[in-house]
Amino acid sequence: MGNSNSSSVDHRFISASRAFTQKKLDDLKSLFVSLASKSQSNDQYVSYPVFQEYFGLSGSLGERMFDMVTQRRKDDKMTYEDLVIAKATYEKGTDDEIAEFIYQTLDVNGNGVLSRSDLESFLVVILKSVFSTESSDAESSDYKEMVDALLNAATFSKSDDGSEKGMSFEDFRSWCSLVPTIRKFLGSLLMPPSTVRPGYQVPHLLYEDSVSSDRLLLKKEYAWHIGGALPHHELVEWKLLYHSSLHGQSFNTFLGHTSNTGMSTSVLIIKDTEGYVYGGYASQPWERYSDFYGDMKSFLFQLNPKAAIYRPTGANTNIQWCATNFTSENIPNGIGFGGKINHFGLFISASFDQGQTFECTTFGSPSLSKTSRIQPEVIECWGIVQASNEQDTKHNAMKGTVLERFKEDRNMLKLVGMAGNSND
């Protein structure tokens, strides 16, 4: 029986090895030897504590990932063969294979059903990992609002024993498309933590010292969620350009504060009188047009009570809207995204005191609020400071050593949705 298992592992290892160049295999071997030496195992295996420390995986998420990598042997030993097989499946496999690997990692009971309570615990671990440097003493309750919002975007259609409904594999795939930053994080667990690790980037929010953070709609958790749909160079700094409570609820003031800033992309956030928070990412400047404009990089999003991102479907090119001082009823003055005239995916009138959000084929989005007719309470706009070439060079310079090479493998980025997409 033992020989049979060994033969099976050998076959998988041989097959997995073909996914890498000899250079990559040598690098993986060097990584393994380095970690095994810290495990005091005579270079035979890597222990869980060393695995956990190197990959920055704590709690239940780290335990589950180690269990998957060691092929559920429960022997607390990761071999070189384990590492190669796991990376081949997790990083070089098809989209379905990678998604299945992640799904099984989260499936604590191994019954093919992810319960809401299971996902809650994993999301708390993820948020603590991302924001640990800022809130080392954070409690699980500190992230409850964001965890609930992320889970409110999910569908739980599968029953295990007739009690709590769970998330099926198809539910999971659909959810990942709505929360890309979670998908990126879960797709980079076998990379050491760093500022360039997918799913870890949190933009630095810039605003005047006189502005209290309590007045801002954009929390760091929201910025992290929105940033999941953006390329790395747009996740460095976001600068507050306009806030209706600070600058006045005026369309002209909004345009004055968002024009000629040197920042062509921006994030528009709205909180309405129902308490819903949502908005859109504008890939083009807010400039006067008599028709839709923009490109497929823009998207709509929800932040609270549901957190989800809606990218263009390709159904039409009615992406961005900015009209001012027009007298025709067919050209409504205001700003917005998607849909069609008078039936926008999101629209704020030039008076800035009313608007609309309808189900929208442009982004495949539902109404973003409780009702389709909205009354903005606070409107906020953040300009995205593009990373300079010098900053990009510094990031690239970090990737020279054997242990660092796995931080941003191009194939991994492609698989988690960063490389080769419309945002690059």
Side-chain angles (χ1 to χ4, degrees), residues 206-208 216 238-244 246-247 253-268 285-286 379-385:
L206 305 175
Y207 49 91
E208 295 180 4
L216 301 176
W238 294 3
K239 183 178 181 180
L240 181 64
L241 301 179
Y242 171 82
H243 190 290
S244 57
L246 300 172
H247 304 118
T253 302
F254 169 87
L255 292 177
H257 279 267
T258 58
S259 301
N260 302 316
T261 62
M263 291 170 274
S264 59
T265 58
S266 62
V267 174
L268 178 71
W286 292 106
I379 301 173
E380 202 170 88
C381 187
W382 295 76
I384 295 179
V385 181

Side-chain angles (χ1 to χ4, degrees), residues 231 410-424:
R410 182 68 179 173
N411 290 310
M412 167 62 102
L413 293 180
K414 182 178 180 180
L415 291 170
V416 299
M418 286 185 69
N421 65 20
S422 63
N423 291 321
D424 281 352

